[in-house]
Amino acid sequence: MRLVEVGHVVELVRRKGLGNLLRELADYIAADYGRWPEFDKSPRYASHSPGGVIELMPIADRQDFGFKYVNGHPANQAAGLQTVTGFGVLADVATGYPRLIAEMTIMTALRTAAMSALAATYLARPGARTMAIIGLGAQAEFQAEAFRALLGIDRLRIYDVDPAATAKFRANMTGRDFAITVAPSAQEAVEGADIVTTVTADKKRATILSDNMIGSGVHINAVGGDCPGKTELQEAILDRASVFVEYLPQTRIEGEIQQKPADFPATELWRVIAGETPGRAHRDEITLFDSVGFAIEDFSALRYLDDVVGEAGLYTTIDLLARPSDPRDLFGVLAGSGSAIAHKTDVLLARRA
């Protein structure tokens, strides 16, 4: 089976260009959201601990089954570790054989940003050019690049409580043709912004945006609140906004709307992408994408990798599956009599390619 490592993804981004790859990935996500009813869906499995969460995110259509393993541990950075890491697997439904295993740390950052920007193409005001970013951790640069690639955002107003995070962001964005304003507070960062992205890491109920900070016509891209007990927005903002989510059964547990009763109205974004319901209704409407990350986005990312890495040669072949010449004689592999190993898995992969 194919193994896509970190170096393969880095080289893929280099060859395609970051903006092009983000647009292609957004197209895959849009295509899968557009056929939402075809998927077997469920909220992710989450194992919570005082320091964070470990999750499995499964999803399948009639051809492919995919899942992602991912963690979220905000205190990791103090130990020199990443807050979020992950890997994913794509398998054939017909046989149950996995055919692709891929790093999903960089790919999660890419797909999260692509999903945010894709949602904003439906929900932000036409002609939006300025975005505020509150929280300048590992996801911030990806958000900026995705919003430029899909919406043409070229002016950023940024804020983080940690000066080192601000310095990191500015260094990474040097020479990338953004006009960047460093604000002394979150409130000043959102002034004049068409889009406000919140992407903080602390696992707590926080008030990153208060109601008085949000004026008419703003689109809020709320990314950081993504597990029970973790939010970024003052509850009053939800009452003023038209709220859009990925998958309601999951978002009611993990998203900003966990602050609201179970009958609080929100629209699943697939209905907008599929043309069943409108996105932004008018220029002065406040729209909110209550993003927690859903398995279909990882499925799209894995499907994208599966389609592009073969031709590009950006993978390693690994021997992960036992392949006895007689499928009933697994023990023979241990005994050595399975030396004439069948290559049925390779044949299946070749046929798909």
Side-chain angles (χ1 to χ4, degrees):
M1 66 184 294
R2 291 172 177 172
L3 170 65
V4 180
E5 302 178 60
V6 171
H8 296 135
V9 172
V10 171
E11 177 61 16
L12 183 64
V13 173
R14 188 194 68 79
R15 291 185 191 181
K16 284 187 169 288
L18 181 55
N20 288 333
L21 187 145
L22 285 163
R23 283 187 288 269
E24 290 178 1
L25 189 51
D27 287 342
Y28 270 68
I29 295 171
D32 287 335
Y33 267 89
R35 59 188 186 97
W36 180 269
E38 298 179 19
F39 285 92
D40 179 14
K41 301 171 286 291
S42 66
R44 57 186 154 208
Y45 166 79
S47 176
H48 292 276
S49 63
V53 62
I54 296 174
E55 300 170 335
L56 293 177
M57 301 173 66
I59 195 163
D61 63 11
R62 293 181 181 179
Q63 288 76 42
D64 298 313
F65 173 89
F67 77 86
K68 182 175 75 174
Y69 167 100
V70 65
N71 76 298
H73 287 72
N76 274 4
Q77 57 183 312
L81 302 174
Q82 291 178 290
T83 298
V84 176
T85 62
F87 69 90
V89 174
L90 195 65
D92 290 305
V93 166
T95 65
Y97 271 49
R99 67 176 185 274
L100 179 80
I101 182 168
E103 84 81 35
M104 286 293 286
T105 305
I106 295 174
M107 286 304 299
T108 292
L110 289 165
R111 72 80 158 147
T112 299
M115 183 68 209
S116 292
L118 174 65
T121 64
Y122 295 94
L123 303 178
R125 284 185 297 206
R129 296 289 300 278
T130 301
M131 180 166 72
I133 304 178
I134 314 299
L136 301 174
Q139 175 63 202
E141 294 91 344
F142 293 90
Q143 290 283 324
E145 291 288 354
F147 274 81
R148 175 165 62 184
L150 272 70
L151 283 89
I153 294 294
D154 58 5
R155 295 191 288 265
L156 303 175
R157 299 179 60 82
I158 62 172
Y159 173 72
D160 195 289
V161 295
D162 182 2
T166 303
K168 178 269 300 181
F169 182 89
R170 294 189 71 181
N172 284 337
M173 292 292 101
T174 297
R176 304 191 73 91
D177 297 326
F178 284 101
I180 299 175
T181 299
V182 179
S185 67
Q187 180 157 352
E188 290 172 87
V190 305
E191 291 177 0
D194 304 299
I195 298 168
V196 178
T197 289
T198 57
V199 60
T200 59
D202 285 346
K203 188 180 179 181
K204 64 182 181 181
R205 290 188 181 272
T207 302
I208 306 303
L209 296 181
S210 56
D211 187 37
N212 66 299
M213 295 165 63
I214 302 302
S216 64
V218 170
H219 171 59
I220 304 169
N221 176 41
V223 180
D226 59 0
C227 69
K230 183 184 179 191
T231 59
E232 297 179 309
L233 310 186
Q234 190 175 47
E235 182 182 351
I237 294 175
L238 304 177
D239 296 322
R240 297 172 56 209
S242 298
V243 180
F244 298 83
V245 304
E246 290 140 316
Y247 182 51
L248 266 169
Q250 181 172 296
T251 309
R252 290 202 188 277
I253 298 169
E254 301 178 349
E256 296 297 327
I257 61 173
Q258 68 183 271
Q259 304 177 66
K260 306 300 288 183
D263 60 351
F264 179 79
T267 301
E268 289 184 329
L269 192 66
W270 76 267
R271 297 186 180 278
V272 179
I273 294 173
E276 289 192 4
T277 189
R280 172 175 288 271
H282 55 83
R283 187 169 182 82
D284 292 334
E285 182 181 19
I286 297 171
T287 54
L288 165 62
F289 180 41
D290 188 1
S291 171
V292 299
F294 185 55
I296 199 169
E297 296 145 30
D298 303 304
F299 181 93
S300 301
L302 289 166
R303 192 167 65 82
Y304 175 72
L305 288 176
D306 194 42
D307 283 350
V308 301
V309 298
E311 183 178 345
L314 295 174
Y315 66 92
T316 300
T317 300
I318 58 172
D319 189 12
L320 192 65
L321 305 173
R323 296 175 293 173
S325 54
D326 180 351
R328 298 166 298 179
D329 186 19
L330 182 60
F331 189 81
V333 176
L334 297 181
S337 60
S339 57
I341 295 175
H343 293 280
K344 294 178 181 178
T345 306
D346 297 328
V347 171
L348 285 169
L349 288 172
R351 286 175 181 170
R352 291 194 63 93

